[in-house]
Every structure is written in C-alpha cells, then in structure tokens.
Amino acid sequence: MQLRTLTPQKIYILIGYAVAATALFCAPMVLSDFRLNLLAKFLAFAIVALGLDLIWGYTGILSLGHGVFFGLGAYAMGMYLKLEASGGRLPDFMDWSGLSALPWFWKPFESFPFAIAMGILIPALLALILGFFTFRNRIRGVYFTILTQALVIITVTLFIGQQKFTGGTNGLTGFTTVLGHSIGSPDTKRMLYWVTAIVLIAAFVLCRFLVKSRFGKVLRAIRDGENRARFIGYNPAVYQMIAFAISAGLAGVAGMLFVLHVGIISPSTMAIVPSIEMVLWVAIGGRGTLIGAALGAVLLNYAKSAFSESYPDAWLFFLGALFVIVVVFLPKGAVGLFRKWKLPKRRRTEHEQQVGHSTV
Amino acid sequence: MKRKIVKNLAFLTVALSVVLAGCGANNTTSGDPAPAPSNTGTNTTTGSGGATDGDEIKVGILHSLSGTMAISEVSVKDAEMMAIEEINANGGVLGKQLVPVVEDGASDWPTFAEKARKLISEDQVATVFGGWTSSSRKAMLPVFEELNGLLWYPVQYEGLESSPNIFYTGATTNQQIVPAVSWLLENRGTKFFLLGSDYVFPQTANKIIKEQLNAEGGELVGEEYTPLGHTDYSTLIAKIQQAKPEVIFNTLNGDSNVAFFKQLKDAGISADDITVLSVSVAEEEIRGIGVDVLEGHLAAWNYYQTTDTPENKTFVENYKAAYGDDRVTADPIEAGYDAVYLWAAAVEKAGTTDVDAVKEAAKGLEWDAPGGKITIDGDNQHIYKTVRIGEVQSDGQFQELWNSGEPVKPDPYLETYEWASSLSSSK
C-alpha cells in the first residue's frame, strides 16, 4: 500500500483493519473461555481460507484437497502432543493395535520445533510434488480439481487403514500438555488464542505482501490468461507450484493450531466434506479478496455453531439456506455486498473486473 | 432498480439469519437466573445460570442428529428424552424438573468435543448422556476429564478403558463378545472366521477373540477387514467358502451389513450352513437389513425387545406410544434409558448434582431395568449386565437362546481372564 494514494476509500479500509485488529485483541476480555476457544478455532480456519484464496482467488486454481494439507499439519502437531501425553510410554492406540515399539518416524516428533517444522514442510512439499506433476504437464481447471479430490480419498484411506501408526478412524486425541503447560487450563487457552491471532495477522500480512508484489501480479496474469503469461516469458508452472505450496503450508499451520484448540484430529477432519467446506468459506466470504476469505471462514463457522446450538434438529436447513442465498444473490460473496453498499456510485474497480474474469 | 431490491432483500435475509443465530447464542450464555420456560422445539434451554438453580436441573443430551450415525443415535436420544419426561412426570429429581439441553454431534468427532465443552462450561449441565461410536467417546473423554463433567455412554464397546468421568451403561467385552465366543465354541463349532469393519472396535474385539480361541481350543480360519461403508463382498464370500468356517463372527458396522448378508444369501449360504453371530446388529438394524436374509442368524446383546420382564413390557409400550407403533427398542436404546434413571437415582441418593458426590453415590446402585436387574460397579463405573444370545425370527425380533442367568461383573481390561494378560497391559 502506497501512502501517496491515500484516497478516502483506502482510509475506510485502514479503519476497517484497525477495527478488526482491535476486535481480535479485545476478544479475550469479553468472551467466556468456551467462546474464546471457539473463536480461536475459527481464526485457525481463517488461515486456511487465506491460503486457499491465494491459489483460488488469485491464481485461479481450485483445490478441493486442502483438508489433506490441513490434516497433515494437524497430525504433525497431534503426534507431538500424543507423545508428550504418553510420557515416554507407547501411545495407547499403538498398544491396542499390537505395536511393541514406537515407529521410527514417530520418534523425532518428541521435539516441538521438529513437529512445527514438519507441520509446515510436509504439506508444502506434498503440494509441491503434486504441483510438479500436474502444473508442469499443464493439467489445470477441473482436471486438477479432480486430482485434489483423489488426493483426499487416498490420504483418508491410508490414515484409516494404518490404524497402528495413525490411530485409525479415532484419530489422535487424549492430549494433556503442550510444552509442559496443561492444554486445558484457561491460561494456556488464552495464550493459544493470542498465538492464533498473531499467526493469522502474520499470514494476512504475508498474503497481502505476496498479492501486491510482482509475484502476485504474475499470479493474476496466469489466472486471467495462462498462455499470454507464458508467451511473455514467465513459466506459469513454477509460479503455480510456489503458490500452491505456500497455500498448503498455511493450511498446515492452521491444522496445527486447530489441534491445539480442539484436542482431536481424525481422518474425518481432512475428508472430502471439510475440504469442500473450506472452499465454501472463501466463496461465501468473497473470493479474490483476502479479508473476504478470512471473514467468510469466521462468519460461516460462527453461523454453523450458533445455528446448531439454537436449533439442533434443523440447523442444517438454516445453514443450507444461508449458502443458497449467498451463492444466488451475492456471487462475489459477503465482501461484494459491502462494496455495493458502501460505494454504489463508483464504477467497478480494476480489482473486481479481474475477479469477474477469473476462471474456476 | 429490480437488481437493487434483490440485493437489499439478500442483505436483509443474511442480517436476519445472523440475528437469529445471535438470539440463540444469547439464550444459552445469559446468566439470567429467572426460571423462564422458553420451550422452542426440543431444545428447551432456559436462561438459568447453574445446573441446580431454581426448580430445574439442566442435563445435556449429545448424540448425532445429522450425518451417518443419526439413524442409530436419534433412537437413543428419543429413549433418553422419554426417561426424562417420565422422571419429570413423577416429580423430577430432588423435587426439581429436568430440563434437557439437546446438542447435535453431527457424526463428527471434533464436533462432539466442541459440544461437550459447550454443555459443561456454558450450559453448566449436571450430566451429559451421549455418544455412540468409540471415536466420539474418545473425542469427548479429555473434555469431561478436564472439566470434571459426567458422561453416560450407552453403547457396547471394545473395553480397555475406564475413565473416572464416564459411566459405561453398554456392555464391555466380557459381557458380550467373550461369553458369545464361549457359547459358540460349545454349541456351533470351533472353526471361526472373523469379519469386521476396518476401525478400532472390530480390530480390538478380534484381537481379544483370537487370544480366547487360542486358550479355549478354537481355530481361526480367516480374518478380514473392509472399510466402513464397503458394499462388495463377493470376493470375501469366496474366501469364506474356501476357508469353510463353522462360525462367522461379524463385527461389521452400518450399511456393510446389508450388503454382506444379502450377498451371503445369494451365494447360497444359509444360517444352517454357517452361523453368523453379529455384535452390531440389533432390532433396529434388522429393519434396515431385511428379515429374509437375517433369519436364523445370531446376535449377542444384553437386552432384546422380547426380553421377558414386567419393566420391559411397560418400557416397550411407552416407547411405541411416544414415538409410533412401527418403532422398535434395542439394546443401546435401553442402555440410554437406563442411564437417565441410574443418574437420577444417584442424584437422589447424593442429595446434590455435584459430580464427585454423584459418582460416590452411584457405587453399587441397583435398578430394575427393562433388561433385568443392573448394578453399577463402583470400581470401573461399568454396569453388571445379563448376557443374552438371540436368534433372528421371521418377525424381525430375537428369540433368546441362552442367557448368563445372572448379571455378569464388568471387566473392561479382562483382568480375570488368564489368556487376556497380554491385552490388559495398557492400563
């Protein structure tokens, strides 16, 4: 953002950011422990949404497989927590499944920094490898999307099947401490909330930096005309791979935070439905705008929780109705509505035109 | 112009739904101590701050009301609601009415954890009745232990667990699987084929069965697992035909049972050729699978709709009167119903809803359940239950072939069985 073009619109946006940041930092004072814990989970989801927006909204690649990257990050953290909870003994599910010693690939997860590094690197590397074989061969659009779905099915089947290494359908749960602090105590939870809020802001700033940079411009060029970008002299595959890997890494970070807040990770969390839900957050919040994606994740999850608490028998109808309304009447998502509302006189911005052109 | 109206309408709807959601949320978080009776559907959450404020006690009910498990869990929820209504009609507990707070676990394990936390810390319920799958119980367990809540879990399970914050009103392995295997060895043959869905319950159960077969002179001729929801059993049935077992011990869950039993019958294998004993097929599942393919096969449970006790007669009548003549009762439904009464009795005895006092009071508590007399074992918070083996009849009900005579002491870690010593190391 350049200060020399500080138009009234930008001032509004700046005020919006300030309000959002203040709200994030004031939340622990207003909310009960339980609500704060929920909000922290939603903020973790917002981080996935940011990453997803980076590749869908800005690069035009729809991934229905982000649940896997999210899950891999979550499992990395879950493995560390499980080992800490087991206190040197074999984790309970391994005992039931007939293992007598800790598998070699579990051992390094006793180290917290290693778990964090793996929680980011494994998803990013997997994305890089998948990207290497698809983008380089110019597989894109719906074909790429189907491949990501296949990735989900493969991973979920693998995790369920390898019960002795992964905990099967139960997943990993029964955590007690993180870095020696009781994971359930209100103080730790508050601390984890702060960490999540800070990571979210950092992720937002990172994504914003990427989007505004030359790299981001190339991404948009690829989205709007991949061949044109290629003929100008850029190699779209490299950019797509990097964007996809960053996006997957962010999902991994979100997964690690998710496990810390929720205390369980199971294959159902990385299955097809959650993966599609993640895309919905972005679509409904506003694809191609970072704030829209993040807001979409928080608001939709809030709606889901609130509806299901108030109307446990019928909440799915309300949620479904909300989806239909937004998709039918607000094709640009909730953020699109705000733009229409606030600046009805202005002509479509350059940005919105790009969103309009983007392909699925 | 028209466009604008549509846009405004859309905004209005979204705003309305957010307000709607907000109202609901406020309703459960406000600390208004007035006993305001706000009955909206089944979720009769009121604004009372604590579990025992005023003239009512809040209790949580947490089952999957949507998703794949809803078909099983809604019936348990119905039975628990019925028990609560009956108790309320008889003057409630400690002179106070029970107010159920219903939440939807949505067949999703993290959701179970989230809702359990909400029930305990936001609604401050005195206890929670809920769960079906082991995965959902494992997800809720840390929450209940952390917040010192109380969970009543109504379904038979794989044992090897004993949380101080959970009462297990379903059977553990020595009240279902172990006696069933012994009975089969005596009455139906020694060559066993183990078939199960690929998750923790069948795998743990089969691990126990294998040890038991070793110790009691049985022979294992095959062991196969299929993914949950698997429906093609032709290859597997070919394997079964080759292995020539006398007994198939079936721990398949859900839809797979429909496919398996149909294809088994299509392959010309009837109950006379090979006995199939299932541990996850009850009256309700028979309706889904079809009596024609199940007739003559066996199941092991602690309760059948046909169990002959005066309590059961009333229970079945009331259940049908409340939810319709076509509904059936089954083991987990009865266990859910029992749980509410056991908790209520423990609270009456303790004189308070305080979790530690209720746990203490529950030790040794007896109750005449529809399935016969049950007693809470204070050591592991499981229930003494009578084991029953039943055969599927043409009307979709079970005929009891054998029962254990008296309630069997629960032994989740199988410590009293010598052959199981390698299994109980995890305690």
Side-chain angles (χ1 to χ4, degrees):
Chain A
M1 195 181 311
Q2 285 137 333
L3 281 172
R4 62 191 155 87
T5 55
L6 204 61
T7 58
Q9 192 205 358
K10 286 203 167 158
I11 292 174
Y12 281 135
I13 291 177
L14 275 180
I15 292 173
Y17 285 147
V19 169
T22 320
L24 274 185
F25 283 99
C26 289
M29 290 167 229
V30 194
L31 296 175
S32 69
D33 287 345
F34 169 72
R35 296 288 160 202
L36 189 69
N37 184 238
L38 274 191
L39 179 61
K41 184 175 86 174
F42 301 161
L43 295 185
F45 287 150
I47 298 173
V48 193
L50 284 176
L52 206 48
D53 199 22
L54 195 63
I55 82 148
W56 187 32
Y58 289 93
T59 322
I61 301 162
L62 175 59
S63 159
L64 291 180
H66 262 52
V68 167
F69 305 127
F70 181 80
L72 288 173
Y75 266 96
M77 180 57 77
M79 283 160 82
Y80 159 75
L81 291 171
K82 190 77 200 170
L83 288 176
E84 189 160 305
S86 308
R89 286 167 50 185
L90 205 58
D92 47 9
F93 67 87
M94 291 187 184
D95 204 11
W96 306 325
S97 319
L99 282 192
S100 52
L102 201 63
W104 61 268
F105 62 89
W106 268 74
K107 283 216 175 73
F109 281 91
E110 283 170 357
S111 144
F112 186 68
F114 180 83
I116 290 201
M118 286 299 117
I120 302 171
L121 284 182
I122 295 175
L125 277 179
L126 181 66
L128 209 57
I129 293 168
L130 185 71
F132 182 79
F133 287 111
T134 49
F135 299 136
R136 248 177 27 121
N137 295 319
R138 302 193 189 171
I139 296 172
R140 52 178 179 258
V142 71
Y143 302 102
F144 177 80
T145 306
I146 291 170
L147 276 178
T148 57
Q149 287 269 280
L151 178 74
V152 173
I153 295 176
I154 293 166
T155 316
V156 170
T157 314
L158 181 78
F159 272 68
I160 291 177
Q162 296 304 310
Q163 185 177 314
K164 52 183 180 290
F165 300 126
T166 61
T169 36
N170 281 2
L172 304 176
T173 183
F175 310 134
T176 50
T177 56
V178 51
L179 291 172
H181 302 283
S182 160
I183 202 165
S185 77
D187 286 340
T188 316
K189 285 206 180 301
R190 197 153 300 159
M191 199 62 222
L192 287 173
Y193 171 81
W194 290 119
V195 171
T196 310
I198 290 165
V199 171
L200 174 62
I201 292 172
F204 186 84
V205 171
L206 171 77
C207 288
R208 200 172 161 80
F209 168 74
L210 287 176
V211 167
K212 297 283 167 189
S213 70
R214 185 186 157 87
F215 176 77
K217 289 199 179 101
V218 178
L219 289 186
R220 266 168 290 174
I222 292 168
R223 176 189 71 191
D224 296 337
E226 190 174 330
N227 282 333
R228 260 190 253 175
R230 184 173 287 120
F231 292 138
I232 292 169
Y234 292 105
N235 182 357
V238 173
Y239 284 88
Q240 286 167 324
M241 274 156 60
I242 294 173
F244 194 43
I246 293 173
S247 172
L250 283 173
V253 172
M256 288 193 278
L257 293 164
F258 172 86
V259 166
L260 288 167
H261 298 309
V262 178
I264 176 173
I265 175 66
S266 70
S268 66
T269 311
M270 50 200 228
I272 287 186
V273 173
S275 299
I276 293 177
E277 248 178 85
M278 289 169 185
V279 173
L280 273 178
W281 304 334
V282 178
I284 286 176
R287 177 159 58 103
T289 61
L290 292 170
I291 197 80
L295 268 181
V298 173
L299 290 180
L300 267 184
N301 280 292
Y302 168 73
K304 190 175 164 185
S305 269
F307 284 145
S308 77
E309 278 169 23
S310 313
Y311 314 96
D313 289 321
W315 63 280
L316 283 171
F317 295 106
F318 288 105
L319 202 62
L322 190 66
F323 286 171
V324 172
I325 290 164
V326 174
V327 170
V328 172
F329 296 110
L330 304 170
K332 291 199 186 71
V335 168
L337 180 78
F338 273 104
R339 297 208 160 173
K340 274 265 154 18
W341 205 259
K342 265 190 181 166
L343 312 154
K345 295 276 159 60
R346 267 187 83 244
R347 286 171 50 206
R348 298 179 76 199
T349 61
E350 175 197 12
H351 189 93
E352 279 172 320
Q353 279 166 7
Q354 285 160 353
V355 173
H357 281 296
S358 71
T359 51
V360 170
Chain B
M1 202 58 211
K2 197 181 159 208
R3 240 182 112 75
K4 202 174 170 191
I5 292 173
V6 169
K7 279 270 148 58
N8 289 355
L9 209 68
F11 182 76
L12 205 73
T13 324
V14 171
L16 200 72
S17 50
V18 168
V19 170
L20 211 64
C23 285
N26 283 341
N27 198 14
T28 52
T29 49
S30 71
D32 177 18
S38 63
N39 293 17
T40 47
T42 49
N43 185 31
T44 49
T45 313
T46 66
S48 76
T52 51
D53 277 7
D55 346 324
E56 45 193 41
I57 301 176
K58 283 205 268 186
V59 294
I61 291 188
L62 175 48
H63 287 289
S64 298
L65 309 180
S66 57
T68 50
M69 291 312 298
I71 185 165
S72 304
E73 291 193 52
V74 167
S75 303
V76 183
K77 184 209 89 177
D78 287 345
E80 288 161 355
M81 295 296 276
M82 186 173 102
I84 289 171
E85 274 163 32
E86 287 175 9
I87 290 171
N88 280 343
N90 288 325
V93 176
L94 298 176
K96 295 171 184 169
Q97 294 285 296
L98 300 181
V99 181
V101 183
V102 181
E103 288 290 348
D104 180 7
S107 309
D108 178 53
W109 325 144
T111 305
F112 269 97
E114 176 195 320
K115 298 300 180 193
R117 189 175 290 281
K118 185 239 168 199
L119 284 171
I120 305 172
S121 60
E122 289 287 295
D123 298 324
Q124 304 191 329
V125 295
T127 185
V128 176
F129 306 99
W132 178 292
T133 59
S134 285
S135 309
S136 66
R137 188 191 67 253
K138 294 249 183 246
M140 290 188 283
L141 187 145
V143 177
F144 280 92
E145 292 192 349
E146 174 196 322
L147 301 171
N148 194 24
L150 193 58
L151 171 69
W152 296 77
Y153 172 74
V155 183
Q156 46 81 229
Y157 81 114
E158 70 277 2
L160 305 178
E161 189 181 297
S162 175
S163 165
N165 295 81
I166 300 180
F167 279 91
Y168 305 78
T169 62
T172 177
T173 42
N174 82 312
Q175 296 169 312
Q176 184 188 27
I177 290 168
V178 175
V181 170
S182 298
W183 185 87
L184 287 168
L185 283 171
E186 265 172 45
N187 296 285
R188 293 294 165 110
T190 56
K191 289 164 82 175
F192 273 60
F193 193 100
L194 307 181
L195 171 64
S197 298
D198 199 358
Y199 75 107
V200 64
F201 169 67
Q203 288 186 342
T204 316
N206 287 346
K207 201 176 150 192
I208 292 167
I209 294 170
K210 280 186 281 183
E211 296 282 338
Q212 192 183 358
L213 288 178
N214 262 339
E216 297 184 3
E219 187 194 340
L220 179 73
V221 296
E223 179 181 1
E224 292 288 338
Y225 298 95
T226 59
L228 277 168
H230 189 74
T231 51
D232 181 13
Y233 284 92
S234 45
T235 337
L236 225 145
I237 288 169
K239 274 188 196 168
I240 290 174
Q241 281 169 326
Q242 253 178 357
K244 295 195 176 59
E246 288 163 310
V247 174
I248 299 172
F249 203 97
N250 168 26
T251 42
L252 288 178
N253 229 325
D255 300 347
S256 297
N257 275 309
V258 182
F260 170 68
F261 280 105
K262 284 219 160 78
Q263 291 166 26
L264 192 70
K265 197 187 179 199
D266 292 345
I269 301 173
S270 73
D272 298 331
D273 307 318
I274 304 176
T275 302
V276 183
L277 186 135
S278 312
V279 290
S280 303
V281 174
E283 285 86 343
E284 196 126 72
E285 285 75 21
I286 294 178
R287 294 200 305 173
I289 297 169
V291 183
D292 52 327
V293 297
L294 271 177
E295 199 178 338
H297 288 299
L298 308 182
W301 290 105
N302 306 106
Y303 165 89
Y304 299 111
Q305 184 175 324
T306 52
T307 299
D308 188 19
T309 63
E311 289 81 12
N312 188 32
K313 206 163 161 262
T314 335
F315 172 61
V316 174
E317 268 171 20
N318 290 346
Y319 191 80
K320 282 181 185 281
Y323 301 113
D325 256 348
D326 57 332
R327 295 285 291 268
V328 291
T329 60
D331 185 289
I333 296 174
E334 188 246 8
Y337 179 81
D338 295 353
V340 180
Y341 272 96
L342 286 172
W343 172 79
V347 171
E348 288 286 357
K349 194 172 152 196
T352 164
T353 56
D354 177 70
V355 169
D356 294 323
V358 170
K359 271 161 54 182
E360 193 57 38
K363 284 181 182 173
L365 208 65
E366 289 180 0
W367 190 62
D368 285 315
K373 196 171 98 172
I374 54 176
T375 313
I376 297 180
D377 186 332
D379 295 334
N380 50 33
Q381 306 197 144
H382 287 59
I383 311 280
Y384 283 76
K385 307 191 92 171
T386 309
V387 188
R388 301 168 195 278
I389 289 173
E391 187 184 84
V392 180
Q393 304 296 300
S394 53
D395 61 352
Q397 292 294 330
F398 284 96
Q399 189 197 356
E400 192 174 298
L401 298 182
W402 174 86
N403 70 53
S404 57
E406 56 181 13
V408 174
K409 182 179 163 60
D411 182 7
Y413 289 93
L414 297 174
E415 281 161 337
T416 54
Y417 298 83
E418 217 168 89
W419 48 262
S421 56
S422 67
L423 299 167
S424 48
S425 61
S426 60
K427 189 176 184 178

